[in-house]
Amino acid sequence: MEKKKSKKNQKGGGVDEQVEKKINPTGAEHYELYEEVGHGVSASVHRALCKPLNEIVAIKILDFECENCDLVSF
């Protein structure tokens, strides 16, 4: 996957350091969902494996059909 590099100036020390920004892939086929680690009124959060990067990530899944959801107006 593609990575972007940028420089970040820290306050106080004025030190420049190299910071890597990862670009995570989009699309469900790139992730393997594991257990639910949290939930709220309109979403749940799952631990998942990002297959292309071989890293554990958190995935938030929105539920637009929930009964108490304020995100959908009729």
Side-chain angles (χ1 to χ4, degrees), residues 33-48 57-66 69 71:
L33 287 182
Y34 297 141
E35 76 274 4
E36 183 179 288
V37 294
H39 66 276
V41 174
S42 62
S44 61
V45 178
H46 293 258
R47 191 170 71 95
V57 297
I59 301 289
K60 181 182 275 187
I61 301 172
L62 298 175
D63 180 7
F64 290 113
E65 296 180 1
C66 63
C69 185
L71 300 175

Side-chain angles (χ1 to χ4, degrees), residues 10-74:
Q10 296 177 346
K11 290 183 179 179
V15 177
D16 286 334
E17 66 179 41
Q18 201 70 7
V19 177
E20 288 188 22
K21 283 188 172 183
K22 293 182 187 173
I23 298 178
N24 293 320
T26 57
E29 68 274 8
H30 299 293
Y31 297 91
E32 182 176 337
L33 287 182
Y34 297 141
E35 76 274 4
E36 183 179 288
V37 294
H39 66 276
V41 174
S42 62
S44 61
V45 178
H46 293 258
R47 191 170 71 95
L49 173 67
C50 177
K51 295 174 188 177
L53 299 177
N54 196 31
E55 290 185 351
I56 298 295
V57 297
I59 301 289
K60 181 182 275 187
I61 301 172
L62 298 175
D63 180 7
F64 290 113
E65 296 180 1
C66 63
E67 292 179 17
N68 298 325
C69 185
D70 291 336
L71 300 175
V72 178
S73 60
F74 296 96

